[in-house]
Amino acid sequence: MDASDSSDADATDAAATAERSPEHHRGRDHDRDSDGMLAEQLLRLTRRLHRIQSRQLEPIGITPAQFRLLRTVASYDAAPRMADLAQRLDVVPRAVTTLVDALEASGRVRRAPDPDSRRVVRIEITDEGRATLRSLRNARRAAAEEILAPLTADQREVLGGLLSALVDGIPERRC
């Protein structure tokens, strides 16, 4: 073994020793604890936002899930099929059926036959649905303003960048 082999072996042994050292484990445990705390804070913030949004949606007579479906229907250029909605929302088709039933009962969407296939049903947003969306967007903005109130404009900008980095780090779900 020549001198360079020896120094490589020494570096490998030192790295292995550091890997096993209590200080190293404490550092890794601290990182895990910090990450766990961040995850918990994100979950708490999400729950808080959901509660505030639900409170804002209640007078409009719509649930957050129905809001999400209504937004999704409105995002299509042409009326989507139930299967398209289930795929876009990443839910089972039965969940879409239940949401569409409720939105149809309130006059916000309607089922329409597909011109090319009798077996396919399309979901169209109604004028009432569009008006509801406008109200819902205002409620959503009010909920966001309530959550973000403690932050300065600069802090909001930083938070927006951080959240974009997190969102862009996973495959996007469109809704």
Side-chain angles (χ1 to χ4, degrees):
M1 178 187 300
D2 68 19
S4 67
D5 290 339
S6 175
S7 65
D8 287 346
D10 292 343
T12 303
D13 288 343
T17 301
E19 182 83 8
R20 290 185 303 264
S21 72
E23 292 81 18
H24 178 78
H25 286 295
R26 265 186 253 133
R28 226 180 343 173
D29 289 343
H30 175 73
D31 290 346
R32 279 192 216 128
D33 288 347
S34 295
D35 290 348
M37 286 176 55
L38 282 173
E40 181 61 28
Q41 287 175 308
L42 286 170
L43 286 170
R44 287 176 52 208
L45 182 60
T46 300
R47 287 183 196 118
R48 183 171 171 225
L49 183 58
H50 186 80
R51 278 192 312 274
I52 292 168
Q53 186 174 345
S54 293
R55 190 177 67 233
Q56 304 252 349
L57 297 179
E58 191 175 343
I60 299 169
I62 194 167
T63 67
Q66 291 169 350
F67 175 31
R68 187 171 176 229
L69 180 79
L70 195 58
R71 266 193 354 248
T72 303
V73 170
S75 72
Y76 281 89
D77 292 330
R81 300 173 307 140
M82 300 275 261
D84 298 329
L85 294 168
Q87 182 178 8
R88 173 88 57 99
L89 295 169
D90 195 26
V91 297
V92 296
R94 179 72 190 124
V96 171
T97 301
T98 302
L99 292 171
V100 168
D101 288 347
L103 289 171
E104 187 175 36
S106 67
R108 293 179 173 120
V109 300
R110 70 177 151 259
R111 287 176 167 90
D114 185 289
D116 300 325
S117 173
R118 291 183 335 175
R119 294 174 45 191
V120 175
V121 174
R122 302 262 174 191
I123 306 303
E124 297 176 340
I125 189 166
T126 63
D127 290 340
E128 175 68 23
R130 284 183 188 75
T132 299
L133 268 182
R134 282 190 294 277
S135 296
L136 294 171
R137 286 185 179 121
N138 292 335
R140 192 177 195 191
R141 256 192 301 282
E145 286 173 13
E146 185 175 333
I147 289 282
L148 298 173
L151 302 180
T152 66
D154 288 343
Q155 289 171 324
R156 289 177 188 203
E157 189 173 329
V158 169
L159 178 61
L162 293 170
L163 291 173
S164 291
L166 291 172
V167 169
D168 293 343
I170 59 173
E172 180 179 279
R173 286 192 189 152
R174 295 165 49 187
C175 54

